[in-house]
Amino acid sequence: MTKSVVSGKKGLTGSKVKKKALHITTTVARLVFLISISYIVIYPLLYMVLTSFTQETAFYSSRRIWIPDSLTTSYYLLIVEIIEYFKALASTLKYEIVAALIEVCSCAVAAYGFSRFNFKLKKLCTAMLFLTILIPTAMIIIPLAINYAHLDFVGILGLFNKLTGIDLRPTIINTPWSFWLPSLFGMGLRSGIMIYIYMQFFKGLPGEFEEAAYVDGAGPLRTFLQIIIPSSSVVILTVSVFSIIWHWNDYQMSTMFMNQDLPLSVSLLNLPEHLGIFGYHISDFDPRAISLMMAACVLFVLPVLVFYLIIQHWFIESVDRVGITG
């Protein structure tokens, strides 16, 4: 009897040891996997930052990737001068970020109408909304540029020009309105996706909110501003982050609509040409040109990275809640 009890205790102890060993093995394997994936994701950023500080002589050392022989900040000072960084940053804020914020507001209004009201041709308008998502911007950017060069609404000013010979069609090329006007009407950069995100959230809001507001005498506009918007901070944050990032990275609209006061994305796109003017040639694998390129990339990413680090907690939480509601 005693032997059987002892053997039973040994069996239990052995099973606990096996479970603990299995738990440790699983934990280690999970950590190795996560560290490997993290390294793959973070490696380009680390390489970019380190290369931007690496001096020319350190490129010829076998340890230069992670342990450069010498570091310098001169490339940052030089690249700020070459691309006129602060002027380009101001243009980005003026054109792209303002357009992004306008788009956040206009898309909310459009989505509220789609999700909470029934009206004629609603199905057709919804189909057109999805077409704006499916059709890439590159397919319509040339017609947009032509239209903005002679802005006309439903052809009225063009007809007046044919009848009288007086051309009253304004041009908004090289003006902030080429960015602001599409955003104001909910037709800016990826507006269809943002309207759809808003729609999914608004459909999940209880209808009792609006019914109570109507009973108290509030109209649709007041209900939207005082009831729906305060209840939608989660989705507004999500859409704002997407809109700001998309506009920050955009260069197609800027290259088509602007030839002066170019934003950072276009300055980065034209950087090889600018470096060639100053005697740094990427095609010749000039170490100084590579470091300057990496420094420019760091300066381009840095404002958005700081912005995301500040709001990451609320953003991750908002994406989770928007997904549940939708």
Side-chain angles (χ1 to χ4, degrees), residues 3-18:
K3 290 182 178 180
S4 63
V5 171
V6 172
S7 62
K9 288 182 177 180
K10 290 182 178 180
L12 290 173
T13 304
S15 63
K16 289 182 178 179
V17 171
K18 289 181 180 179

Side-chain angles (χ1 to χ4, degrees), residues 151-162:
L151 189 63
D152 195 358
F153 293 97
V154 297
I156 296 176
L157 296 179
L159 179 61
F160 182 81
N161 180 34
K162 290 181 179 179

Side-chain angles (χ1 to χ4, degrees), residues 70-296:
S70 55
L71 301 176
T72 181
T73 59
S74 60
Y75 294 119
Y76 284 93
L77 300 176
L78 184 57
I79 203 65
V80 166
E81 178 185 352
I82 291 175
I83 66 174
E84 298 181 331
Y85 177 77
F86 294 105
K87 181 180 178 182
L89 179 61
S91 298
T92 303
L93 297 176
K94 178 181 177 181
Y95 301 137
E96 299 286 5
I97 302 305
V98 172
L101 297 178
I102 294 174
E103 195 170 1
V104 170
C105 300
S106 62
C107 289
V109 176
Y112 183 66
F114 273 111
S115 60
R116 309 299 276 194
F117 295 95
N118 292 319
F119 51 90
K120 292 182 180 180
L121 302 178
K122 180 178 179 180
K123 292 184 178 179
L124 177 61
C125 292
T126 304
M128 297 297 290
L129 170 65
F130 283 101
L131 280 178
T132 63
I133 299 175
L134 297 175
I135 297 176
T137 308
M139 292 184 63
I140 61 173
I141 196 165
I142 294 179
L144 280 177
I146 295 173
N147 186 33
Y148 291 168
H150 301 283
L151 189 63
D152 195 358
F153 293 97
V154 297
I156 296 176
L157 296 179
L159 179 61
F160 182 81
N161 180 34
K162 290 181 179 179
L163 294 176
T164 64
I166 302 173
D167 192 359
L168 298 178
R169 294 174 296 176
T171 177
I172 59 174
I173 298 294
N174 286 321
T175 69
W177 287 105
S178 58
F179 297 88
W180 298 348
L181 195 63
S183 297
L184 186 63
F185 287 97
M187 287 299 296
L189 186 65
R190 295 183 176 89
S191 289
I193 298 176
M194 287 183 274
I195 292 174
Y196 181 73
I197 294 173
Y198 272 125
M199 286 173 58
Q200 293 302 102
F201 183 84
F202 289 154
K203 286 179 181 179
L205 292 177
E208 288 79 5
F209 286 173
E210 292 151 313
E211 292 175 3
Y214 295 156
V215 170
D216 291 338
L221 180 60
R222 184 178 175 186
T223 302
F224 175 70
L225 295 176
Q226 296 186 357
I227 305 297
I228 301 300
I229 291 298
S231 304
S232 307
S233 58
V234 170
V235 69
I236 290 173
L237 178 61
T238 303
V239 172
S240 298
V241 172
F242 286 148
S243 181
I244 289 173
I245 297 299
W246 287 335
H247 278 83
W248 186 272
N249 293 329
D250 174 67
Y251 62 88
Q252 285 184 331
M253 291 172 52
S254 302
T255 53
M256 290 298 296
F257 304 150
M258 305 293 294
N259 55 27
Q260 58 188 7
D261 294 333
L262 298 175
L264 278 173
S265 57
V266 181
S267 298
L268 194 65
L269 180 68
N270 298 332
L271 184 58
E273 179 182 348
H274 294 316
L275 290 178
I277 295 174
F278 283 81
Y280 306 101
H281 301 284
I282 296 292
S283 58
D284 298 335
F285 297 100
D286 185 352
R288 298 170 300 170
I290 296 174
S291 293
L292 287 169
M293 284 284 292
M294 296 300 103

Side-chain angles (χ1 to χ4, degrees), residues 17-28:
V17 171
K18 289 181 180 179
K19 288 182 179 180
K20 189 174 182 179
L22 180 61
H23 176 71
I24 293 173
T25 303
T26 305
T27 303
V28 171

